[in-house]
Amino acid sequence: MTKKTNDFFPVIFLTLIVVVSVVALTLTNGITKDKIAIAKKEAISEMLATLFPEMEDFTLDEESGLYTPLTGGESLGHAFMATATGYGGTIDILIGLEPDATLRGIKIISQQETPGLGAKITEPFFLDQFQGLSAEQVVLAHNGGKIDAITGATTSSSAVVNAVKEAILKKLETLNKEGGRG
Amino acid sequence: MSNLLAIFLGMALVNNMVLVKFLGLCPFFGVSKKLSSAFSMGIAVLLVMLVASGVTWPVYHLLLAPYGVEFMRTVIFILVIASLVQIIEMAIKRTNLTLYNAFGIYLPLITTNCAVLGITFINIDQTYSFLESLTAALGAGAGFTLVLIIMSGIRERLGLADPPKAFKGTPIAFITAMLLGLSFLAFNGMV
Amino acid sequence: MHSFGKNFVKGIIRSNPTFILLLGLCPTLAVSTSLDNAVGMTAAFLFVLLVSNIIISLLRNYVPDRVRIPVFIVIIASLVTIVDLMLQGFVPALSKSLGMYIPLIVVNCIILGRAEAFASKNGVSDSIADALGMSVGFGLAIFVISFIRQLLGTGELDLFGRSLFTIPGLSDNPVSIFMLPMGAFFVIGTLLALFRWMGVSKGE
């Protein structure tokens, strides 16, 4: 047994372990950093491609969180994220706009709604209703709008509808302020 | 203010640590046989969560993030929690022996309680502000204590019940947890 | 070689970490909604437990007793961070679906428990056997639970995008409660009772 009785040995040993750990992690981080950045970019690109399949590349305005999908250098419209508070937690929604500010479509990125009921917001029959609408038309049918709520999941449906409408109106305001760029 | 209330209720009831996020299951099943120990454990966890969130938030946002070493998060956080638990244990032992006998004995177990490390990760992932982090910790701790107390109350009575032989003990505790979880579903949509 | 086999086998059934020792339940229950998650979690768990057992077994005669636990924690936390970064870089989809349960392997009672109870007292080859056995036991448990939950909760089984099996009728109207957190409690409670009934494990 080489267990030292020296008072400082435990401290030195622990420090040594921490130093080794920091070095090992820094090395790993160095190897994976670029990979993680690429993976993140690819994930965003894949996400945008579901709404803009003809997209070749995209730009991101870090400050406003506004994505601009591009094909051959031409802008296809805009995309941005919105957050709704649904029945079981937050719902992250990707919103795609045509250059004329009508809806290209929306996609649910993450949600924790009840399976079988609120979770149906991810299904095409609900999402497809948003295509081609202007922000003013994004209202549930029983409030005089164009979107039918999911049976048994009014909370989830209206959470999505309200969040989409508000997010578009807000984003259009800032876009217009900046002088209709894009 | 309403935002903080929403975070508190959301953490305590809707996204309950134990029933929805499956964090802190070891003490949930291990220390829920008696009501008195369940209460002490719950309060001890609440305390550590609060202090841990109060310390890890500035550590992450003032030390790790500015220097771009976010990848050290896991190592640093667990060390912070382990030392905090030690410090709190020593402090309680020196100042109040009655309190130590009531709560202190549960403190060493808390280092490896995933609910504590979990809440510090959630604070960062949800990009909560400092105040929001403390509220979230308070809510998570309160929710943890609540289900621990309910569970121990049920298990004290379950001891007198007569479930099928194979279900006796842990299996029936899991089934109880499931029913408890189902009833907590009713809090969905509240915030 | 005899002790290697013995230490390997014990983790699979007799001291199965999940079903018998009831340790490290948090990740087992939280991510057991699909077979993909089960594979990912088991791989991450195996790597961390194997390497930590080897390192701690090698260091066992040098680690000062007073800082034993902090040393173990630093070693395990570093390994977990390595796995976390690797997953984020190379299998981002899996990393996303396992989420914070990967970094939470740090506080998995099984890993620290094996370090303290086994690797710090035994040689390297026995520690390797112990880690492998425990991982197989853990993997088996999470795999069984995921299998049941995914099959009944979605009506179909798939592994990394390839469809393996579909129950006609059930896939249109799945028993979605199995995908909810409560479903995990139900499945593990029933399995535990089943093992007792079959006499694999002892009742209280």
Side-chain angles (χ1 to χ4, degrees):
Chain A
M1 295 303 263
T2 42
K3 288 204 174 146
K4 307 273 161 68
T5 43
N6 190 331
D7 273 352
F8 289 109
F9 183 63
V11 181
I12 296 168
F13 192 89
L14 187 57
T15 316
L16 206 70
I17 293 281
V18 172
V19 170
V20 172
S21 145
V22 170
V23 171
L25 291 187
T26 312
L27 285 176
T28 317
N29 184 54
I31 300 170
T32 53
K33 206 167 69 187
D34 298 341
K35 286 267 179 199
I36 294 175
I38 293 171
K40 278 203 177 127
K41 187 163 188 225
E42 262 174 18
I44 295 172
S45 161
E46 251 171 53
M47 182 176 91
L48 291 175
T50 55
L51 292 179
F52 299 91
E54 68 273 38
M55 179 191 87
E56 286 163 356
D57 196 11
F58 71 91
T59 59
L60 165 63
D61 184 34
E62 297 264 357
E63 211 175 304
S64 59
L66 190 73
Y67 300 101
T68 308
L70 303 167
T71 184
E74 290 283 303
S75 162
L76 290 166
H78 293 292
F80 48 92
M81 299 293 297
T83 317
T85 307
Y87 198 70
T90 48
I91 306 169
D92 291 323
I93 310 160
L94 176 72
I95 300 169
L97 290 185
E98 302 281 5
D100 67 353
T102 58
L103 267 164
R104 165 74 78 127
I106 67 166
K107 188 173 160 56
I108 309 291
I109 303 302
S110 77
Q111 52 89 20
Q112 303 149 34
E113 302 303 285
T114 322
L117 290 169
K120 285 190 181 156
I121 53 170
T122 57
E123 289 179 17
F125 82 88
F126 179 68
L127 296 179
D128 288 351
Q129 300 182 79
F130 288 83
Q131 268 169 29
L133 299 187
S134 67
E136 289 73 25
Q137 291 170 308
V138 182
V139 177
L140 285 179
H142 65 78
N143 293 333
K146 292 214 161 192
I147 293 170
D148 293 322
I150 296 161
T151 317
T154 324
T155 310
S156 308
S157 315
S158 68
V160 173
V161 166
N162 292 337
V164 169
K165 182 176 178 176
E166 268 172 39
I168 299 176
L169 291 177
K170 213 170 154 195
K171 201 57 88 180
L172 284 181
E173 211 173 277
T174 46
L175 275 181
N176 290 337
K177 252 188 218 155
E178 286 169 27
R181 160 189 83 145
Chain B
M1 211 40 223
S2 68
N3 175 32
L4 292 183
L5 190 68
I7 290 179
F8 178 82
L9 291 177
M11 276 294 169
L13 301 173
V14 182
N15 286 314
N16 188 280
M17 276 285 158
V18 178
L19 298 173
V20 178
K21 295 205 182 292
F22 295 113
L23 299 174
L25 287 179
C26 299
F28 179 65
F29 288 109
V31 199
S32 66
K33 282 182 186 147
K34 266 178 63 197
L35 189 60
S36 55
S37 46
F39 181 73
S40 303
M41 181 68 176
I43 299 296
V45 168
L46 175 71
L47 183 71
V48 176
M49 276 184 175
L50 204 57
V51 181
S53 299
V55 175
T56 51
W57 194 91
V59 164
Y60 186 84
H61 288 281
L62 302 177
L63 282 176
L64 299 183
Y67 293 101
V69 286
E70 288 95 338
F71 61 90
M72 289 298 290
R73 182 178 81 164
T74 312
V75 180
I76 301 287
F77 277 22
I78 186 71
L79 283 178
V80 165
I81 292 172
S83 4
L84 276 178
V85 169
Q86 285 267 314
I87 294 170
I88 295 174
E89 194 192 351
M90 281 194 298
I92 296 183
K93 201 173 182 178
R94 295 239 167 111
T95 51
N96 192 334
L97 212 61
T98 337
L99 200 66
Y100 178 74
N101 286 332
F103 301 115
I105 40 172
Y106 298 102
L107 282 171
L109 292 174
I110 294 177
T111 310
T112 51
N113 183 332
C114 20
V116 176
L117 189 61
I119 188 71
T120 62
F121 285 164
I122 291 172
N123 289 334
I124 304 299
D125 290 344
Q126 298 280 333
T127 59
Y128 282 155
S129 71
F130 184 65
L131 203 58
E132 285 169 339
S133 296
L134 290 183
T135 315
L138 204 61
F144 180 79
T145 312
L146 180 68
V147 289
L148 210 61
I149 290 175
I150 298 177
M151 187 68 178
S152 63
I154 298 176
R155 283 184 82 175
E156 279 191 357
R157 300 207 157 207
L158 215 59
L160 305 170
D162 189 23
K165 207 171 144 217
F167 272 99
K168 234 181 177 122
T170 350
I172 198 75
F174 277 107
I175 305 290
T176 313
M178 171 212 166
L179 295 173
L180 203 55
L182 273 179
S183 62
F184 266 67
L185 265 190
F187 291 119
N188 265 2
M190 204 172 70
V191 280
Chain C
M1 237 18 230
H2 176 67
S3 72
F4 187 93
K6 208 175 69 187
N7 284 320
F8 174 69
V9 173
K10 100 186 159 233
I12 300 176
I13 298 195
R14 198 161 52 80
S15 3
N16 184 294
T18 307
F19 289 138
I20 310 288
L21 305 179
L22 295 175
L23 288 178
L25 292 175
C26 310
T28 317
L29 295 184
V31 302
S32 59
T33 46
S34 73
L35 293 181
D36 298 1
N37 283 357
V39 172
M41 191 41 113
T42 308
F45 180 90
L46 171 71
F47 172 81
V48 175
L49 182 58
L50 186 64
V51 181
S52 89
N53 257 12
I54 292 174
I55 296 178
I56 288 166
S57 171
L58 285 172
L59 291 176
R60 72 184 184 282
N61 290 332
Y62 308 101
V63 181
D65 218 38
R66 272 166 51 202
V67 292
R68 193 177 72 242
I69 301 289
V71 166
F72 294 167
I73 290 180
V74 172
I75 293 173
I76 296 171
S78 313
L79 293 169
V80 167
T81 309
I82 292 175
V83 171
D84 193 18
L85 291 174
M86 290 288 180
L87 282 179
Q88 282 181 37
F90 296 96
V91 244
L94 195 60
S95 159
K96 207 174 164 217
S97 86
L98 294 173
M100 69 171 183
Y101 293 98
I102 287 290
L104 281 176
I105 295 179
V106 178
V107 281
N108 190 316
C109 333
I110 309 172
I111 296 185
L112 194 61
R114 292 331 284 171
E116 170 77 358
F118 198 92
S120 63
K121 299 190 178 77
N122 290 281
V124 176
S125 82
D126 284 341
S127 297
I128 292 176
D130 181 68
L132 291 176
M134 282 289 157
S135 304
V136 172
F138 174 85
L140 204 64
I142 195 168
F143 210 76
V144 170
I145 298 173
S146 303
F147 180 87
I148 297 174
R149 287 181 72 189
Q150 195 185 15
L151 189 65
L152 297 179
T154 64
E156 53 201 4
L157 277 183
D158 56 354
L159 190 60
F160 295 113
R162 210 173 320 141
S163 182
L164 300 177
F165 193 71
T166 307
I167 303 181
L170 194 64
S171 54
D172 301 327
N173 292 298
V175 196
S176 39
I177 189 167
F178 283 102
M179 294 303 273
L180 288 175
M182 291 92 244
F185 286 125
F186 179 73
V187 170
I188 190 167
T190 315
L191 282 174
L192 286 178
L194 184 72
F195 292 146
R196 273 203 197 153
W197 182 72
M198 296 189 325
V200 180
S201 62
K202 269 190 255 136
E204 292 190 358

